[in-house]
Amino acid sequence: MNNKYELIYEGKAKKVFTHDDEDKVKIEFKDDATAFNALKKEKFEGKGKLNCLISAKIFEFLIKKNIPTHFVGLENENIMIAKKIKVIPLEIVLRNTAYGSLCKQTSIKPGTLLSKPLIDFYLKNDELNDPLITKDRIELMNILSSDDLELIVNLTLNINEILIRFFKNIKLQLVDFKLEFGYDDRNNILLGDEISPDNCRLWDLNQKNDTIVSLDKDRFRKDLGGLIEAYSEIHRRINDFLQTK
Ligand code: UDP
């Protein structure tokens, strides 16, 4: 990055820099992958670019469906321009199918289709290991008002409806995903962060039997190999689908 731009924040998978416009930021996507609160780490050449391009396409699609997002455009294949937001310290996880931590913490069997979407809130706090928290605790900690929490829940449910159909078109099952939101300078709530195979579970529907083929970060979490191939496949399917529209 041109050193004219100041590094505002460095996370596990992205760096955020200032922009010439006060109300925008430049987000650089890194090749690093982390899991289990960064206990597991690896670099995958090309992952940053793939996540940046995949996220950009998904944000554009959501914007067309009237979802408010921070996405402004791409500077290049690795750098996204976004509206500057004050990030709300919550991870909003929506689950359509039981997997991952839900199955570790309950007796629900992996792969169970949920009769309605389940939303779980996690506090973004590395020291506390991003604990699962309740709606009442969110209000108690003054993180959000109950009205804003309701708005975020409704936005997340809408985004889920849009994304389920989007991914079904490209033969992917949207198992679960994590969103982050923030406030812009006019106090509007915008969808932030990224939407990519790093924070969505996507299973290939091009399988004859019920075998689970993960095309997402589980390839790294579970040492399955082929992460870049899986992300490239998602990118290819998205581009093919959007070209036919
Ligand atoms: N997720 C994420 N960041 C996190 C934790 C989870 O993006 O810090 C995503 C993850 O990729 C999955 C969904 O949220 O799509 C649900 O993850 P889960 O709670 O099952 O946690 P995990 O099994 O990854 O520990």
Side-chain angles (χ1 to χ4, degrees):
M1 175 75 65
N2 180 332
N3 55 17
K4 171 178 164 199
Y5 302 105
E6 210 178 304
L7 179 69
I8 307 173
Y9 168 82
E10 177 159 7
K12 295 180 196 109
K14 293 186 286 294
K15 286 182 184 173
V16 181
F17 294 89
T18 53
H19 186 278
D20 297 309
D21 299 342
E22 269 281 293
D23 60 348
K24 295 196 185 89
V25 290
K26 294 180 183 234
I27 304 175
E28 185 179 296
F29 285 66
K30 305 198 286 187
D31 285 340
D32 305 286
T34 62
F36 316 116
N37 201 14
L39 285 175
K40 187 177 162 92
K41 273 191 215 166
E42 205 175 319
K43 239 186 166 68
F44 292 92
E45 210 186 316
K47 181 179 82 79
K49 175 185 132 180
L50 285 162
N51 280 349
C52 182
L53 295 174
I54 292 169
S55 282
K57 294 284 180 206
I58 296 177
F59 279 132
E60 280 170 358
F61 192 80
L62 290 173
I63 291 167
K64 280 200 194 129
K65 306 271 175 191
N66 292 320
I67 300 293
T69 86
H70 71 157
F71 180 75
V72 175
L74 284 181
E75 176 161 309
N76 60 41
E77 291 184 323
N78 258 86
I79 298 176
M80 183 180 284
I81 310 295
K83 290 176 198 154
K84 191 191 268 179
I85 54 172
K86 196 167 160 276
V87 178
I88 298 162
L90 289 178
E91 300 194 335
I92 320 289
V93 169
L94 184 144
R95 303 172 192 276
N96 294 305
T97 302
Y99 210 66
S101 69
L102 175 64
C103 300
K104 290 192 187 120
Q105 292 164 1
T106 68
S107 54
I108 304 171
K109 294 221 162 53
T112 309
L113 294 175
L114 305 181
S115 56
K116 61 174 188 165
L118 169 71
I119 295 187
D120 284 333
F121 306 106
Y122 296 85
L123 181 67
K124 259 171 84 78
N125 184 318
D126 285 340
E127 270 167 47
L128 297 176
N129 219 348
D130 295 349
L132 181 66
I133 60 166
T134 62
K135 187 172 179 292
D136 286 346
R137 288 188 186 193
I138 293 171
E139 282 171 40
L140 179 72
M141 293 172 73
N142 287 318
I143 296 174
L144 275 176
S145 66
S146 67
D147 283 356
D148 281 359
L149 188 57
E150 195 183 316
L151 201 149
I152 285 179
V153 165
N154 287 330
L155 268 174
T156 303
L157 290 169
N158 285 342
I159 293 166
N160 184 45
E161 291 296 316
I162 298 167
L163 291 186
I164 285 181
R165 266 181 276 134
F166 178 82
F167 285 120
K168 206 170 170 203
N169 277 313
I170 55 171
K171 299 279 180 290
L172 293 168
Q173 178 177 342
L174 178 61
V175 172
D176 57 27
F177 57 90
K178 185 262 299 182
L179 301 179
E180 293 183 25
F181 293 87
Y183 291 98
D184 70 6
D185 50 8
R186 292 184 196 162
N187 250 15
N188 297 309
I189 292 181
L190 305 182
L191 173 65
D193 195 41
E194 64 179 286
I195 302 189
S196 74
D198 262 14
N199 56 9
C200 299
R201 282 199 170 94
L202 298 164
W203 291 352
D204 194 6
L205 289 170
N206 285 336
Q207 299 296 321
K208 288 202 181 65
N209 41 33
D210 280 347
T211 349
I212 295 171
V213 173
S214 300
L215 296 178
D216 55 48
K217 204 164 100 175
D218 277 343
R219 303 218 66 85
F220 163 65
R221 291 189 191 98
K222 302 169 103 185
D223 293 316
L224 301 170
L227 178 132
I228 291 296
E229 290 78 359
Y231 286 34
S232 302
E233 175 68 13
I234 306 262
H235 183 227
R236 188 188 62 74
R237 288 193 202 180
I238 290 177
N239 279 342
D240 288 354
F241 169 63
L242 293 175
Q243 263 160 27
T244 62
K245 279 179 67 77

